[in-house]
């Protein structure tokens, strides 16, 4: 195909989609966690999702207090605009990652 033909096809499909009020079928790339300016929130959200996955797979092996703790930490980081976590929080998060990684 020539460059002119590919331009015409592209323009024609965009015009057709506008006429039909349709969106293109190409889905945007999904990120594992919500995008934020604060990378700590993204990492904590991934940990929360990991705990959720483990709970769906093995409900009797997970502790609801872990998820509650992570959610409260996320809200604290958002509310106080924290850029660093305390050593105890980091160690607890690392322990949770180890606990829920294999599940």
């Amino acid at each position: 195909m020539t460059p002119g033909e590919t331009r015409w096809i592209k323009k024609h499909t965009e015009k057709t989609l506008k006429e039909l009020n349709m969106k293109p079928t190409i889905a945007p790339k999904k990120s594992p966690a919500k995008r934020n300016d604060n990378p700590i929130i993204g990492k904590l959200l991934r940990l929360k999702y990991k705990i959720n996955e483990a709970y769906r797979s093995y409900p009797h092996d997970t502790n609801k207090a872990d998820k509650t703790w992570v959610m409260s930490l996320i809200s604290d980081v958002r509310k106080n605009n924290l850029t660093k976590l305390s050593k105890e929080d980091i160690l607890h998060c690392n322990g949770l990652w180890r606990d829920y990684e294999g599940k």
Side-chain angles (χ1 to χ4, degrees):
M1 284 187 166
T2 64
E5 290 173 334
T6 54
R7 258 191 323 247
W8 183 87
I9 291 171
K10 183 179 177 186
K11 186 177 178 182
H12 180 70
T13 25
E14 288 174 359
K15 182 181 173 186
T16 306
L17 291 175
K18 282 182 183 177
E19 289 174 358
L20 298 174
N21 292 327
M22 295 176 68
K23 294 182 181 177
T25 56
I26 300 171
K29 293 181 180 178
K30 293 182 180 181
S31 61
K34 294 179 183 176
R35 292 208 178 264
N36 295 303
D37 293 336
N38 193 342
I40 294 173
I41 295 174
K43 292 175 184 178
L44 291 173
L45 284 172
R46 282 197 304 260
L47 177 58
K48 185 184 91 160
Y49 299 152
K50 187 61 117 174
I51 293 171
N52 281 343
E53 281 180 28
Y55 182 76
R56 278 189 231 114
S57 302
Y58 308 101
H60 57 279
D61 289 344
T62 58
N63 188 355
K64 188 173 180 174
D66 294 340
K67 182 181 171 187
T68 306
W69 183 83
V70 171
M71 290 174 58
S72 67
L73 186 59
I74 291 170
S75 66
D76 286 345
V77 169
R78 285 182 175 155
K79 186 172 117 180
N80 300 321
N81 217 9
L82 300 175
T83 56
K84 290 185 178 182
L85 294 177
S86 67
K87 183 177 180 179
E88 294 83 16
D89 291 340
I90 293 172
L91 292 175
H92 191 176
C93 287
N94 287 343
L96 290 176
W97 271 110
R98 273 186 243 109
D99 292 343
Y100 291 102
E101 190 65 35
K103 292 184 180 182

